[in-house]
Amino acid sequence: LVSSPYIRDLAMLVISYGMCINLVEVSWKSKLKAAYPDPNAYSAFMGNFSSATGTVTLVMMLLGRKIFRKFGWRNAAMVTPSMIGITGLAFYALTIFAPFFEPIAASLGTTPLMLAVVVGAAQNILSKSAKYSLFDPCKEMAYIPLDQESKTKGKAAVDVVGNPLGKSGGALIQQILIFGVGSLAAATPWLAGILGVLLFFWYKSVNSLAGQFEEAMEASGESA
């Protein structure tokens, strides 16, 4: 199955999602603690964050079916990396180029740190809601045209290898960088670059898998 481009692309989607989420989330939580050193203020923010995540996820679940029906599998599969890419890279930009954004933040009555916290929160909320409403359904739909053996073995390979590799891979990258450059703050530009590379391969895998999925669905007499 390692030699199967279809399963390989599917695994790349899962690995990319896990790594991208992990890379941004750890950096965001460090900024969040800096912005809210008081435990009560931190808890209040996390309470609002949880409520917002639930609300946005519900809305995305309702929109998800319409997105699939109107735009098809390929475009639906592009939504999650696009959301993570736009908000994740914006978060890193606010972190790396904080002095540049100071006048803009001041005109909004805030600071680059608080803007980074808000954008990072938006990234977290959108990526989690997109996972449940679009990413997971896209992944499950991709198994439909496979024969029973490929479906069973492919699912096992993606779940057993892809999920843990995505989560642990992101953490490992951060540990290596922190060890190499001395701190999470110093590693931030590197993390932004790695996020960009992961997104590139994610988009590439989506495009590749979409073509194979559409061909397989046509071959099996079903419409995507």
Side-chain angles (χ1 to χ4, degrees), residues 44-165:
F45 180 90
M46 289 310 290
N48 292 330
F49 170 76
S50 297
S51 300
T53 302
T55 304
V56 174
T57 300
L58 181 62
V59 172
M60 286 291 289
M61 293 286 274
L62 296 171
L63 287 174
R65 192 171 292 180
K66 290 182 179 179
I67 292 169
F68 275 112
R69 200 163 45 232
K70 190 169 183 180
F71 301 105
W73 190 94
R74 185 190 299 267
N75 289 317
M78 288 285 191
V79 171
T80 307
S82 298
M83 280 184 170
I84 291 174
I86 293 166
T87 54
L89 293 172
F91 165 77
Y92 279 129
L94 284 163
T95 304
I96 298 163
F97 306 110
F100 173 81
F101 288 104
E102 270 178 14
I104 300 166
S107 68
L108 297 169
T110 186
T111 63
L113 175 62
M114 285 306 298
L115 280 180
V117 166
V118 170
V119 172
Q123 188 275 336
N124 224 287
I125 291 165
L126 290 171
S127 59
K128 281 177 180 167
S129 62
K131 182 184 190 296
Y132 300 123
S133 60
L134 294 166
F135 183 82
D136 285 347
C138 278
K139 186 182 75 172
E140 294 306 315
M141 282 174 71
Y143 292 113
I144 293 170
L146 298 177
D147 60 73
Q148 195 57 46
E149 187 185 1
S150 296
K151 198 178 288 185
T152 307
K153 289 183 178 178
K155 206 163 191 175
V158 170
D159 290 343
V160 172
V161 178
N163 279 323
L165 190 58

